[in-house]
Amino acid sequence: MGIVAVGQSVPRYEDPILLKGEGTYTGDVRLPNETFGYVLRSPHAFARIKGIDTTAAKAAPGVLCVLTGADMEADNIGPLPNVMPPIPGLDTSTIFVAKRHILATDMARMAGHEIAYVVAETLAQARDAAELIEVDYEPLEAATDSASLIDAAPRYADRPDNLAFNSDYGDKEATEKAFAAADHVVKHRLTVNRVSPNTIENRNTVADYDAETGRWTLYLPTQGPFAMKGVLANQIFHTEPENFRIITGNMGGSFGMKGFYAESILTIWAAKKVGRPVRWENERTESLHTDQHGRDKVVDAELALDKDGKFLGVRVHSLANLGAFFGPMGMMHTHLSLIGMVNVYTTPTCHFNIKGAYSNCAPTGPYRGSNRPDSTFIMERLVDVAAHQVGIDRIELRRRNVIPADAMPYKMPLGTVYDCGDFGSNMEQALTAIDYDGFEARRQDSKSRGLLRGFGLANNVEQAAGVGHEFVTYRFNPDGSLTIIAGTTEQGQGHPTMYALLASDQLGIDTDKITVIEGDTDAQESGNGTGGSRVSVMGSNAARLAGTGIIEKGKQVAGNVLEAAVADIEFDAGAFRVAGTDKSVSLADVVAASFDPANLPDGAEPGLEEYADFEGKAANYPNGCHACEVEVDPETGSATIVRYVAVNDVGTVINALTFRGQILGGIGQATGQAMMEDVSYDPETGQLQTGSFLDYAMPRGSDFCDIEIIDNPHPTQNNPLGSKGAGEVGCACAMPAVVNGILDALEPYGVTHLDMPLTPLKVWSAIQASGKSDV
C-alpha cells in the first residue's frame, strides 16, 4: 500500500482477506476431538420450575454430560458480572441488581432462559437429548409492556415496584422555578423502541481445557477479552486470570452486544467437565430471543421557554425496560451521556428522573451509542413539538438557542464542560448543503406527483470515552517489518488499518510491512477492549506513544551507527539524521542494527520494541447535524428518504474512508430503528413475535439515497491527536432527523407524533385516522 498519512482515505487492508474467506472467525476454529454443546431453553416467559429430570437425556446416544442449575450450585459457578460505571451522583448501593446465573434454578424469567446444557459427540445428538429432559413448569403471568411495569405484579419478591433504580440528576428546585416562570411549557410523551443488534456473526464459543496446566484456551467474539479474563477467574470460576487465554479472532459485528453471556460460560465449564473441547453456537432465532437488546424506554419530556422562544429548562422522566435481569453493563444504556437531553442548546437548568424496571423480556444493554441516540432523540423531537406548539419555525427556534462557538469551553447544567465545537456551523452547513431554501419548491413538486414531502433535522453532541488507559506495543522484526499488538478489539471497524496508518505516518514505514494483532490476551499485557467510540481516541494515542518510544530508542542506535551524539540525532520521513549534516541512516537499517548488542546501551535488550500506556484524562464531545428529506406515499404509508446530508465533527480524522463508513453505518442502524426495526412481544404470553428475519425487518442499501457527508472538524485539546469518537454520532443524529422528516410530511393530516418504528402500516393508519381525504 505504501506510506500513508493521517487524514488520507486509506482502503482497509484487511478487507481482501475477509472477502476471500481467509479470515478466522470463531466458527472457523476447529480443534481435535471437539464436542458440541446445546442449550435447553424455557418455552415460557415466566414460570416456576418445580422439577427437572435429566435421566433419559444422560442415557441418550453420544451424550457426555447434562448440566443443570443444581450442578452449577454444586460447582460454585458464579453469576454473570455487573459493571457499575462511575456516574456522578449515582448511589450504586440503592440499585436492586437481579443477578443472572448461567442456568435457571427455581424460576424461568424469559422465553429462551437457559435451563440445561447438553454436551454430546454431535450437535444432532445434543439437540435430541435436550428434548428428553423433562421440566415441570408452573406458568405465571408475564409482563412485557414497558409503560406498565411499575404497576405489574412483582417479577422479584423483594421488589414490589419492579424497579432496579430510581435516579435523579440535575437541579430539581431550579428547574421547577424555571418552569413556573415560563411563558410556554411543552410536554411530550414518546417511546424509544426495543431493537435487536443482529450481528452478521451469531454469538458462539469454542473452549478447550488443558488438565495438565489447568488452563483454558477460549475462542469467542467479545469486545473486552482482558476484562473477561479477569472476571472469569475472579468471579465465576474462582481461579487465577493466568489460567485463561481468550482469542477473539475476526468478529462479524457487535454494536455493544458481544460481552458476557451464560452460554459462553456454560461452554467453558463443560470443557473442563468432559475433558475435551466444546463448541457452541446460537442459531439466529436463539439470538433474537437471547441477545442483549437495545433501547426500550418510555419518556415524558418537558421544555420550558420564554416569550421569545429561549429555552429556560428541560425536564425528563424516563422508564427503561431492563428485561428479566440486570445486564453486565446495565447502566450504560440508561445513564450514559445524559447531556444529550440538553444537547447543543443554551438551557440553564435541567432535571432528569431515570428509572429502570424488570420485565420478562430479554435483558437490554448497550447498543450502538448506548443512551446517546436516545437522549438526542428525546430533545430533538421535543424541539420540533415545541416549535409547532409555540408557533416559531423549528430552524429559527434552534438558531435562537444553539450554544455559540465563542462560548467554548461551555459548562452544561449537569457540570459537563464542552471543550470545543461549532454547533451552529454544523447546522448552517447542513441547511446549505441540502438546499433548505429550495425545500418548499421540492415539496410542491412532490405534491404534484401525489406524494407528501417532509424535512427533518437533528443536532447532536455526545460524551465519548476518553478517560482511562489503553495499551499498544510496537515490535520490530530483524527484517524491518513491524508487529503492532493492541489492547483494543476489532469487530469490523477497521482498526488494523488505523494502527498501520498511524505507524506509517509517524515512522515512514510501508503499511505492507505492518501486521496488527488484536484480541489475544496472551499477546498483550493488558487492554480495555472496544466500546463507547474509544479506539480512535485511546488506541490511536497509545499507538502514537509507542511510535515516539521507538523513535527515541532508535536515536540511540542511530547515534552508534552514525558515530554521533544521541542529542544530535533527528528523525524524519523514515530516517535518522545527524542535525546539520547529510549523514543519515534509514529506520530499516537502524532496526537491523538494533539486534547487534554493540549498538545498544548497556543492558538493553536486542531489537526495537516499545510498550505504551496512554492515559486519557478527559472525555471528548463529537457532534453533528443531519438533515434529510423524505417522501411519503399517502396511499400506502411508505416513506422514502430522497435527500440526506450529514455534517459531523469528530475532531482529527485519522482515516477519511473509515470515518465515512462509521457515519454511514450509524445512519443505517438509526434509520432501521426509525422506520422498520422493532422487537415485539405478545402481551399475554410474553412470547417473542419477531423471532426470525421474516418478522424483524432491517434496511437494505435500496432504502437509502446518496448520502453527503461533510467533515467540520474542531480538534479537541483533551488528547494529543485531537481526535473524538466517531462510531455513534451518525446513529444519534439520524434517528430524530428521519422521524422529524416523516412527521413533517404528515403535518397536513394533523399527525404530530408517531412512535418508532414509522412503518408503512403505522403511517397509513394515522393518515386514515385523520379523516382528511384530500390535502
Side-chain angles (χ1 to χ4, degrees):
M1 189 183 296
I3 297 172
V4 295
V6 167
Q8 281 186 234
S9 186
V10 179
R12 303 192 335 167
Y13 80 72
E14 61 268 33
D15 283 351
I17 298 169
L18 300 178
L19 291 170
K20 290 187 291 185
E22 295 173 356
T24 303
Y25 296 82
T26 297
D28 295 319
V29 174
R30 290 291 182 271
L31 301 181
N33 205 30
E34 66 182 15
T35 61
F36 294 82
Y38 182 80
V39 179
L40 175 69
R41 303 184 181 277
S42 170
H44 303 285
F46 197 35
R48 187 170 287 108
I49 299 173
K50 301 172 71 174
I52 302 176
D53 185 351
T54 62
T55 305
K58 288 179 177 178
V63 171
L64 300 172
C65 78
V66 179
L67 302 173
T68 66
D71 300 304
M72 172 193 72
E73 292 177 339
D75 282 9
N76 193 28
I77 305 298
L80 271 65
N82 299 108
V83 178
M84 297 293 179
I87 299 173
L90 176 65
D91 182 0
T92 57
S93 67
T94 64
I95 299 174
F96 173 68
V97 176
K99 288 191 173 294
R100 184 175 190 176
H101 291 267
I102 61 174
L103 289 171
T105 52
D106 59 335
M107 299 287 292
R109 298 189 175 274
M110 55 179 265
H113 194 174
E114 299 82 6
I115 304 299
Y117 190 73
V118 181
V119 180
E121 296 287 354
T122 69
L123 179 59
Q125 289 174 329
R127 190 193 304 270
D128 289 345
E131 294 182 1
L132 300 176
I133 299 174
E134 296 182 7
V135 185
D136 185 3
Y137 293 106
E138 179 188 339
L140 303 171
E141 184 178 354
T144 60
D145 178 58
S146 302
S148 59
L149 292 178
I150 294 177
D151 299 321
R155 301 299 94 185
Y156 291 89
D158 48 357
R159 208 65 172 186
D161 59 4
N162 289 318
L163 289 183
F165 51 79
N166 186 351
S167 309
D168 287 280
Y169 300 91
D171 191 329
K172 184 176 182 180
E173 182 178 354
T175 304
E176 288 178 347
K177 288 181 180 179
F179 273 81
D183 294 280
H184 305 282
V185 173
V186 177
K187 300 182 179 181
H188 187 53
R189 167 167 274 215
L190 52 85
T191 67
V192 183
N193 60 312
R194 177 178 285 245
V195 289
S196 174
N198 296 334
T199 56
I200 293 175
E201 174 196 33
N202 285 338
R203 290 188 291 112
N204 52 5
T205 301
V206 178
D208 188 17
Y209 179 74
D210 186 332
E212 290 187 14
T213 63
R215 197 165 194 254
W216 280 272
T217 299
L218 313 175
Y219 303 86
L220 75 162
T222 180
Q223 291 187 218
F226 291 93
M228 176 176 281
K229 174 180 172 178
V231 172
L232 287 172
N234 299 322
Q235 299 182 34
I236 297 175
F237 291 102
H238 315 293
T239 183
E240 299 301 319
E242 293 72 24
N243 289 335
F244 294 92
R245 180 188 183 186
I246 300 176
I247 302 169
T248 64
N250 296 120
M251 200 182 309
S254 178
F255 315 120
M257 179 271 286
K258 286 178 178 171
F260 272 94
Y261 285 91
E263 301 96 334
S264 291
I265 299 169
L266 285 166
T267 306
I268 298 165
W269 179 32
K272 182 177 181 180
K273 299 287 279 188
V274 303
R276 290 168 57 184
V278 180
R279 167 184 300 278
W280 163 83
E281 182 173 358
N282 248 359
E283 294 183 353
R284 182 62 67 181
T285 293
E286 290 180 291
S287 282
L288 284 162
H289 274 82
T290 62
D291 284 356
Q292 171 185 284
H293 291 157
R295 322 292 189 216
D296 200 346
K297 54 197 67 169
V298 179
V299 178
D300 289 295
E302 300 174 81
L303 183 64
L305 307 91
D306 69 11
K307 60 182 176 60
D308 297 319
K310 293 290 289 182
F311 297 170
L312 302 177
V314 62
R315 187 161 56 195
V316 173
H317 291 78
S318 174
L319 174 63
N321 183 340
L322 301 179
F325 305 97
F326 197 93
M329 301 288 285
M331 306 299 293
M332 301 301 288
H333 66 299
T334 55
H335 289 70
L336 182 68
S337 203
L338 292 176
I339 59 166
M341 288 192 283
V342 180
N343 207 352
V344 302
Y345 306 112
T346 54
T347 310
T349 185
C350 65
H351 176 246
F352 306 139
N353 176 252
I354 312 297
K355 297 183 178 73
Y358 292 112
S359 68
N360 297 116
C361 304
T364 50
Y367 168 67
R368 197 166 195 156
S370 291
N371 196 45
R372 301 180 186 101
D374 313 43
S375 296
T376 299
F377 180 76
I378 292 165
M379 189 60 174
E380 289 301 297
R381 282 295 301 128
L382 189 57
V383 173
D384 262 28
V385 171
H388 179 77
Q389 292 187 15
V390 174
I392 300 176
D393 176 79
R394 56 201 168 134
I395 304 301
E396 175 59 25
L397 186 60
R398 287 175 168 87
R399 284 172 171 154
R400 292 183 190 182
N401 289 282
V402 71
I403 298 167
D406 60 12
M408 298 295 175
Y410 187 85
K411 187 174 182 178
M412 300 297 287
L414 288 179
T416 300
V417 177
Y418 296 160
D419 64 306
C420 65
D422 190 342
F423 309 142
S425 171
N426 289 341
M427 186 165 64
E428 297 307 326
Q429 287 192 49
L431 290 168
T432 299
I434 205 167
D435 183 23
Y436 182 63
D437 289 343
F439 170 69
E440 287 302 328
R442 293 191 294 276
R443 192 201 291 268
Q444 292 304 313
D445 176 70
S446 297
K447 186 176 181 179
S448 71
R449 293 181 282 110
L451 301 174
L452 306 165
R453 198 178 190 103
F455 176 82
L457 178 140
N459 289 303
N460 160 258
V461 61
E462 62 192 45
Q463 184 173 323
V467 179
H469 291 261
E470 197 48 73
F471 312 89
V472 170
T473 298
Y474 278 15
R475 180 180 298 151
F476 273 95
N477 307 303
D479 63 359
S481 63
L482 171 64
T483 299
I484 300 175
I485 308 166
T488 54
T489 308
E490 160 78 355
Q491 297 125 42
Q493 300 95 329
H495 297 171
T497 300
M498 181 199 79
Y499 284 118
L501 185 158
L502 288 165
S504 179
D505 175 86
Q506 187 179 18
L507 301 178
I509 181 174
D510 192 316
T511 56
D512 289 339
K513 296 182 178 181
I514 300 173
T515 300
V516 178
I517 298 173
E518 285 184 281
D520 184 343
T521 58
D522 272 12
Q524 177 65 287
E525 291 184 31
S526 189
N528 286 306
T530 298
S533 293
R534 68 186 308 275
V535 178
S536 60
V537 176
M538 307 296 288
S540 64
N541 281 287
R544 279 293 201 188
L545 282 180
T548 299
I550 288 290
I551 292 170
E552 293 307 310
K553 290 181 178 179
K555 286 180 179 179
Q556 298 180 32
V557 178
N560 284 330
V561 172
L562 296 171
E563 299 179 337
V566 173
D568 293 332
I569 301 297
E570 299 175 338
F571 179 81
D572 182 57
F576 294 90
R577 295 178 176 83
V578 179
T581 75
D582 60 357
K583 294 177 64 178
S584 68
V585 61
S586 70
L587 173 61
D589 287 340
V590 166
V591 168
S594 72
F595 286 89
D596 182 351
N599 294 317
L600 301 174
D602 291 342
E605 292 289 328
L608 276 186
E609 180 173 329
E610 180 71 8
Y611 172 76
D613 173 356
F614 172 74
E615 181 182 6
K617 297 183 178 180
N620 60 90
Y621 299 93
N623 54 87
C625 179
H626 290 199
C628 74
E629 291 183 21
V630 300
E631 285 186 330
V632 175
D633 184 347
E635 297 297 321
T636 65
S638 177
T640 303
I641 299 172
V642 293
R643 297 169 73 92
Y644 199 105
V645 170
V647 179
N648 312 276
D649 169 13
V650 299
T652 300
V653 171
I654 298 172
N655 183 348
L657 183 67
T658 52
F659 158 66
R660 176 179 173 83
Q662 286 294 305
I663 300 302
L664 289 173
I667 292 170
Q669 286 183 280
T671 301
Q673 178 165 7
M675 298 179 69
M676 61 192 73
E677 294 190 45
D678 191 47
V679 172
S680 175
Y681 288 92
D682 182 273
E684 299 296 326
T685 65
Q687 294 297 316
L688 184 67
Q689 295 177 314
T690 48
S692 77
F693 289 163
L694 293 175
D695 308 298
Y696 189 97
M698 288 178 289
R700 303 179 182 185
S702 57
D703 292 310
F704 297 92
C705 62
D706 288 338
I707 295 176
E708 182 179 358
I709 295 177
I710 299 173
D711 183 24
N712 187 26
H714 292 78
T716 179
Q717 298 300 309
N718 289 344
N719 65 75
L721 263 174
S723 54
K724 303 176 183 179
E728 283 131 342
V729 63
C731 189
C733 283
M735 196 159 66
V738 171
V739 170
N740 283 343
I742 295 173
L743 290 171
D744 181 54
L746 298 178
E747 194 275 335
Y749 288 95
V751 179
T752 59
H753 182 71
L754 293 172
D755 280 322
M756 297 185 292
L758 275 64
T759 61
L761 176 60
K762 189 178 291 185
V763 171
W764 180 85
S765 297
I767 291 172
Q768 298 306 305
S770 72
K772 298 181 180 180
S773 58
D774 185 11
V775 298

